[in-house]
Amino acid sequence: MKKGLKIVTIGGGSSYTPELIEGFIKRHAELPVRELWLVDIEAGKEKLEIVGEMAKRMVKAAGIDCDVHLTLDRRHALQDADFVTTQFRVGLLDARIKDEAIPLKHGMIGQETNGAGGMLKAFRTIPVVLGIVEDMKERCPNAWLINFTNPAGMVTEAVLRYGQWEKVIGLCNVPVMAVNTESALLQKEEKDLFFKFAGINHLHWHRVYDKSGGEVTAELIDKLYGPDADPGKIVENIRDMRFLSDQIAQLGMLPCPYHRYYYMTGNMLQEELEEAQHEGTRGQVVKKLEESLFELYKDPNLDYKPKELEQRGGAYYSDAACEIINSIYNNKGTQMVVNTRNRGSVSDLPYDSAVEVTSLITAHGAEPVHFGAFPPAQRGLLQVMKAMEELTVEAAVTGDYATALQAFTLNPLVTSGDVAKVVLDELLEAHKTYLPQFFSTELAPVGD
Amino acid sequence: MKKGLKIVTIGGGSSYTPELIEGFIKRHAELPVRELWLVDIEAGKEKLEIVGEMAKRMVKAAGIDCDVHLTLDRRHALQDADFVTTQFRVGLLDARIKDEAIPLKHGMIGQETNGAGGMLKAFRTIPVVLGIVEDMKERCPNAWLINFTNPAGMVTEAVLRYGQWEKVIGLCNVPVMAVNTESALLQKEEKDLFFKFAGINHLHWHRVYDKSGGEVTAELIDKLYGPDADPGKIVENIRDMRFLSDQIAQLGMLPCPYHRYYYMTGNMLQEELEEAQHEGTRGQVVKKLEESLFELYKDPNLDYKPKELEQRGGAYYSDAACEIINSIYNNKGTQMVVNTRNRGSVSDLPYDSAVEVTSLITAHGAEPVHFGAFPPAQRGLLQVMKAMEELTVEAAVTGDYATALQAFTLNPLVTSGDVAKVVLDELLEAHKTYLPQFFSTELAPVGD
Amino acid sequence: MKKGLKIVTIGGGSSYTPELIEGFIKRHAELPVRELWLVDIEAGKEKLEIVGEMAKRMVKAAGIDCDVHLTLDRRHALQDADFVTTQFRVGLLDARIKDEAIPLKHGMIGQETNGAGGMLKAFRTIPVVLGIVEDMKERCPNAWLINFTNPAGMVTEAVLRYGQWEKVIGLCNVPVMAVNTESALLQKEEKDLFFKFAGINHLHWHRVYDKSGGEVTAELIDKLYGPDADPGKIVENIRDMRFLSDQIAQLGMLPCPYHRYYYMTGNMLQEELEEAQHEGTRGQVVKKLEESLFELYKDPNLDYKPKELEQRGGAYYSDAACEIINSIYNNKGTQMVVNTRNRGSVSDLPYDSAVEVTSLITAHGAEPVHFGAFPPAQRGLLQVMKAMEELTVEAAVTGDYATALQAFTLNPLVTSGDVAKVVLDELLEAHKTYLPQFFSTELAPVGD
Amino acid sequence: MKKGLKIVTIGGGSSYTPELIEGFIKRHAELPVRELWLVDIEAGKEKLEIVGEMAKRMVKAAGIDCDVHLTLDRRHALQDADFVTTQFRVGLLDARIKDEAIPLKHGMIGQETNGAGGMLKAFRTIPVVLGIVEDMKERCPNAWLINFTNPAGMVTEAVLRYGQWEKVIGLCNVPVMAVNTESALLQKEEKDLFFKFAGINHLHWHRVYDKSGGEVTAELIDKLYGPDADPGKIVENIRDMRFLSDQIAQLGMLPCPYHRYYYMTGNMLQEELEEAQHEGTRGQVVKKLEESLFELYKDPNLDYKPKELEQRGGAYYSDAACEIINSIYNNKGTQMVVNTRNRGSVSDLPYDSAVEVTSLITAHGAEPVHFGAFPPAQRGLLQVMKAMEELTVEAAVTGDYATALQAFTLNPLVTSGDVAKVVLDELLEAHKTYLPQFFSTELAPVGD
Ligand SMILES: [Mn+2]
Ligand SMILES: [Mn+2]
Ligand SMILES: [Mn+2]
Ligand SMILES: [Mn+2]
């Protein structure tokens, strides 16, 4: 009989941690987490202690049987873990700020999961995640890796292809929020609707059906993106930018908020440029938000997740991670939208790639609900972005400069040619400390 | 607001009808069937009346609000139907007896859903089903067709490809029985296991996982087909024939009972020959069973499904049909194994083909759980059988002799060459009345 | 016994016609062209007469048995034709000048076969080509259509998919020039090298092998695009723009000159902007070139193709058309790079699409030499461009505005969002006369 | 500058060798073979000497500059070879006789390249070929392996998949003979026809076009297999068995002679049984033929290929091998039908498999002419046979009994069930000496 679960959270000093704690507390009846290890690095020690103490207060206030451990020793923490969650940021928010500012300076969108910035984030993050996987092979070879470090799709691809590790699920809050928003808009309960998502992380489309068997996708497109729609602020960290209503209607599917970067590139760039001049880039804004969050967390009387966290932009991420863990542990077969190996479920993408697709979460992992083939408007963008991801992941692992340049060229948010090279060079130099693979004189071995 | 459902059952005089009635009765709280129309043809009038009267007694005894109608006028019955189920047999059991006897006489397996016999059944049945679809287009264009007339896979393929009708689900009791048997064998509840089936009707494989996330397929293979296994009588209408245990272990998946025809061809043929000499072919046995069932049904005091029906061989078929109707009506998302359009869920088969695969049954139909690619031992057999099905369906529609011969040649249960031609000719002649497409002098148009 | 061939050239008044005539003259021994019909429209009558008279002089000077006919009656000309070649330009060079100028005004590349301009050219051209195909079905149902009207790939796709006409080959001079240039660079004869091209029109890659069996692609990459290369002016109508040498080396294949638009977008745009300010857009330059060519053609003593034609930018186009006609007529099996139906030869593109691929030209058409799958850097760009082509062709046929917008969004040379819509609107308005499908109030039927 | 070629022939003592010598002699002007090493094993020493001496006489009589070496030291012979040809038979004709007799005894077709016999031949041959490949990696890593040892398709598959050796071409005389026969039947020269073959070794179909562009496949089908055809003896080692003319017409393609085993299974079995009773199996007949051939070869005055060799059944094999070597050496781009890696050219088979397909033979190997997708009658048989081949090759490498049994089950010529197991056991036992992989107690490592 299983005694209880050991969870290890890499990047435990993150401001998101209270949501994760709350998630475990509210599922305690069916999900017996007995040990929670919050792991961070030396540079994050202070934050780890602040958020760790608060986590302990939350657990104590909830009166549940769960020990919270704080440590900088990752390998020790991983020993015999059941689930490992990852939510760290290599180079902290300062790195993000550079990812945003440098491309913008050269007239390109600066964004932390798309465009040049997102690709640099992949270069910094993937080697660290592959290091965690190596530790897991040694310390907890039966554990599941639940990743919500961005870019979550490319990280999943790297873990599957180069880490040779199958027990991984990548996670994003975008589908969760779409389901919430659209259910509310239709004035129906989530259980009375059927949502079918497919694509890759931050670039997926979905269709929605109701209980009568009818498809309500067109109705939702009209309500959300039609000529008379008032979309409101859908995702905290994406601007409230209207789509071209003709274009969305032609898709016959609902886009994700990040489609704005690809469908409204000119407008998004314009807005970013203006925003950078006034309030600062998103990274600069978030940095201030985080500082005030940590001020809150220091309050020795705070023993619950403060409302302010929701404005942070990552709401539902940690809660979704808890739900996945719960569904795996209890073989619930819950429908969730996750990053997993394609295996043909999205016909237009390579069989072995990572995709983000509606799946049943069972005791043995994610079983994709089959999606099939896309029409050309979706297919073309999806295929070029997946190729871009493959090249980015390869460059992240090998440190090959030309591969990185190729990935930049494919990304629709990067202007190709000399300017692409200039931006790449400047970004590599700016993040040099975190990119030994690009600066080492020795050849890095390519996996696969 | 929906008032209640109208169900039309084509072949309503079938001995299976009481199971269907029972299925609706036991689901009455959530599935408001208000009208049930049992439709049959002139030749089946007597049976329709016997079973129809019994159906009325069952409904009355259950005290539910549902009118049972008996009619020979199919088009009238179909008007405004919500669901149409099909369970008829063209040419009745006498045709089946010929399907079994003629191949056997020439040293080939005689079986009503595989081999030469099953192909002739397709030739007789498909034009009738396509006729029903044409009536549905006119009388109830929003209805679902739930087919459990055999060969259920080829019928589904024909409805999709030539009938151009998407709202069809084909059904078989074999997966239902496998789930029951294997859950019992593992001493676990079905809800604590995850079953993943894929293939085509009467030729699919499955894998099973338990709540710990571990795969229990190998354990089941060993229990059911290992050197020390005692399989017992798994399906009523398939002989209790042991598989070669080495072969099943190599598959790494559980076969279906009909695999015996393909994996144990020599032995199955031998047994059929012996059986035909002694007790008669399966069709002859069933004919006697049916006669005694109808004797029972005549009893004006019988108002429940008699136990004897379960020995008939089609147990769970009608109940599964009720469950599908229930899942569609209530958007339940139940996991069931059904015949539906592939759309890429089984990578080794054509995108548009019918497959039999674990699916979520929702208000808008069957959503396959993705299966992916098979290893070569499964792939080869599956692909040749699907090609055989495509040719058989095409021949059923066009009446093209050479296409029929080609289908015979591909079927592993038919010996190719002159003897195939002789058997085909003899079968066509024997069923001439039901095969106008093969004997008409005018060219039949090919759909698609 | 065949009497001799009848060739019909639509757009016969083109300045390219003398090269075509020269091509037939030099192949006269094996290719017995007896009738050549030059067809043009009312607006091109003057040019048709100038170039037509010159064609007659050329034929006469060569002393071959061939009648040259000039006509504005296309349907009459097509009667019993053996080959139809198309080389017309809807809206003449003035339309091209708009295709170039309007996008440029909004900060996008203006080019007649790529970007927004090339797409508008497709919108204007495809309906005309489909009209020719309809005439051919009636007047010369066994003829071959050899198209070299741009965008040649999309025109071929339209003819195959919407025209339902299989006997079409699309042609471009880019591969011809690559073969010439690279053979010279290697100081080898073409017959001692093996060239393997694949992709789509104006976006293909190739590999080269020599007689020793070794691949010389890397050597050519280095010579043409390496850090020390001096590429020179490869194609007349494409600027002499250096690629990033790292990027081309990573490809492991030779790009085509039009890749500069996709790989060097920033630089190409900059150059176009400068050029437009000084010498005018390419269309304006060509217009002047053409005027001086027609002055030459008027000379009643000119009875051979003047050297000046080669500077026009379309050299080898017409000669390649003659060679295809010759190879078909004589079943030569020559290796040529043509636009034809994929049928799986380029694994990464849809089975039924048009591709541009090394093929054997035989009496029954183009047989692609198999190419297989591309690595991700090529695959991603190729797939997004093919999807863009599919949408462009669909919009050209249906006149659907949203489909056109979707195509614009996918094209890497168009900035998506409001500016895409503005450019599209302005271009549609500018070409309104030639785009009834977009302005008609009646619904256009979609083929396929 | 290349000095001249070194060819190594493994199985040099074969009765076919004189055809090979003749092939090199007649191509001497363009193919400068300077060294020919005939290699055999101890058991073949006597035959090697007889045929080797004759080879020397042939070379001398031709007056060409070529040294013929005879050796039992394979590794020595392979040093610096340019081409290696393989034409050996593991276990000699006695093994073939067992391959034929044992299945026949159990009511199954006994044939050396199909059915149970051909599979056993694969089990014996593949490990030896993989050993040769290992020697080549060390001694002549740039050489081409031209294999015509049967089963040539599975051997090629094994070399590609498990040998990881790309420079291999597998060869069969069946397409050569079809081209000869059909050209003659059409009274046309081969160069005026276009032949397009695709499939796998001994199971391919082809289409034929003439110089007018018309397809003449149907005409050939009618002449060869129509109701009034008189096929004659097409291939020496296949019986003169008529196909069912309806069936062949439905294919719309020409079958290969070995299709008789699959399309006329009942008849072929009947004939084999009768033949075995009277003249003996084909192996027994060939053994006598060979003995008399070697008697001829002993004649010290015989210095040319005797006519009697053509009756041996392998005519054109060695000549085709010479032509491939010539085409590679001279980068001729000749169209030949060879076994090579699919790479998508036959859409219905796995991308990495060996296929037999019309190819251009160039200096860097075989470039398939694209074939595309088959209709279902061809597709089903082809796919099940390829899966059978994959399992057979895997079993040959691993010695895994269950995999062998699975392969037997898939083969349409083997009756599945207990009798398959009995035949497999008996064959393994009979060939035990040559099958260490099946009898070793140590686990054989699986490549790939
Ligand atoms: Mn996300
Ligand atoms: Mn069934
Ligand atoms: Mn061109
Ligand atoms: Mn052969």
Side-chain angles (χ1 to χ4, degrees), chain B residues 150 172-173 201-202 317:
Chain B
N150 269 325
C172 176
N173 63 344
N201 183 238
H202 290 191
Y317 249 102

Side-chain angles (χ1 to χ4, degrees), chain C residues 191-194 196 209-215 328-331 333 335 342-347 351 360 362-364 367-374, chain D residues 191-194 196 209-215 328-331 333 335 342-347 351 360 362-364 367-374:
Chain C
K191 73 168 180 52
D192 289 336
L193 295 166
F194 183 78
K196 200 170 172 184
Y209 303 84
D210 75 8
K211 221 184 138 168
S212 75
E215 183 165 5
I328 291 175
Y329 180 74
N330 287 304
N331 194 34
Q335 288 173 31
N342 185 11
R343 293 162 274 174
S345 62
V346 182
S347 308
Y351 191 87
L360 306 181
T362 72
H364 66 284
E367 290 284 353
V369 174
H370 190 69
F371 193 85
F374 278 104
Chain D
K191 74 167 179 51
D192 289 336
L193 296 166
F194 182 78
K196 201 170 172 184
Y209 303 85
D210 75 7
K211 219 183 140 167
S212 76
E215 182 165 4
I328 291 175
Y329 180 74
N330 287 303
N331 193 36
Q335 289 172 30
N342 186 10
R343 293 162 274 175
S345 62
V346 181
S347 309
Y351 192 86
L360 307 181
T362 72
H364 65 283
E367 289 284 353
V369 175
H370 190 69
F371 192 84
F374 278 103

Side-chain angles (χ1 to χ4, degrees), chain B residues 52-121:
Chain B
E53 289 310 314
M54 178 165 154
K56 289 177 181 176
R57 294 192 300 272
M58 287 176 72
V59 163
K60 192 176 167 197
I64 63 169
D65 170 18
C66 174
D67 291 329
V68 178
H69 302 259
L70 312 185
T71 182
L72 305 187
D73 183 347
R74 183 172 85 192
R75 291 167 58 79
H76 175 67
L78 288 174
Q79 192 64 45
D80 301 321
D82 295 295
F83 291 91
V84 178
T85 72
T86 46
Q87 56 175 45
F88 58 87
R89 181 185 290 280
V90 180
L92 309 179
L93 281 167
D94 287 337
R96 172 177 181 171
I97 291 166
K98 291 175 191 170
D99 284 343
E100 292 170 344
I102 292 171
L104 212 50
K105 195 173 72 181
H106 295 279
M108 296 177 204
I109 280 177
Q111 207 276 344
E112 72 153 349
T113 69
N114 300 281
M119 293 158 92
L120 262 286
K121 191 168 203 298

Side-chain angles (χ1 to χ4, degrees), chain A residues 281-339:
Chain A
T281 66
R282 177 78 195 154
Q284 290 167 320
V285 172
V286 164
K287 198 172 176 184
K288 280 177 214 146
L289 268 171
E290 280 224 346
E291 279 160 11
S292 61
L293 272 175
F294 275 92
E295 281 312 306
L296 281 178
Y297 293 173
K298 282 180 188 164
D299 175 358
N301 296 316
L302 185 71
D303 58 6
Y304 56 88
K305 188 186 76 178
K307 259 199 258 181
E308 288 84 346
L309 179 51
E310 272 166 48
Q311 293 159 30
R312 166 67 185 83
Y316 303 111
Y317 249 102
S318 307
D319 194 69
C322 295
E323 188 51 35
I324 284 180
I325 292 171
N326 192 14
S327 289
I328 291 175
Y329 180 74
N330 288 303
N331 193 35
K332 292 179 80 162
T334 319
Q335 288 172 31
M336 293 185 75
V337 184
V338 296
N339 290 272

Side-chain angles (χ1 to χ4, degrees), chain C residues 202-264:
Chain C
H202 290 190
L203 196 78
H204 45 73
W205 294 262
H206 65 282
R207 302 173 67 173
V208 190
Y209 303 84
D210 75 8
K211 221 184 138 168
S212 75
E215 183 165 5
V216 292
T217 310
E219 183 186 336
L220 281 166
I221 288 174
D222 195 55
K223 275 191 210 292
L224 284 163
Y225 309 117
D228 308 322
D230 175 19
K233 217 169 174 64
I234 292 169
V235 174
E236 273 307 316
N237 47 355
I238 295 181
R239 264 149 224 88
D240 172 13
M241 172 70 62
R242 293 183 68 99
F243 283 110
L244 299 173
S245 57
D246 282 334
Q247 190 188 2
I248 305 306
Q250 194 276 347
L251 289 172
M253 298 185 193
L254 286 147
C256 83
Y258 287 88
H259 275 101
R260 285 174 174 80
Y261 290 103
Y262 305 95
Y263 288 167
M264 303 300 295

Side-chain angles (χ1 to χ4, degrees), chain D residues 310-329:
Chain D
E310 272 167 46
Q311 293 160 28
R312 166 66 184 83
Y316 303 111
Y317 249 102
S318 307
D319 194 70
C322 294
E323 188 51 35
I324 285 180
I325 292 171
N326 192 13
S327 289
I328 291 175
Y329 180 74

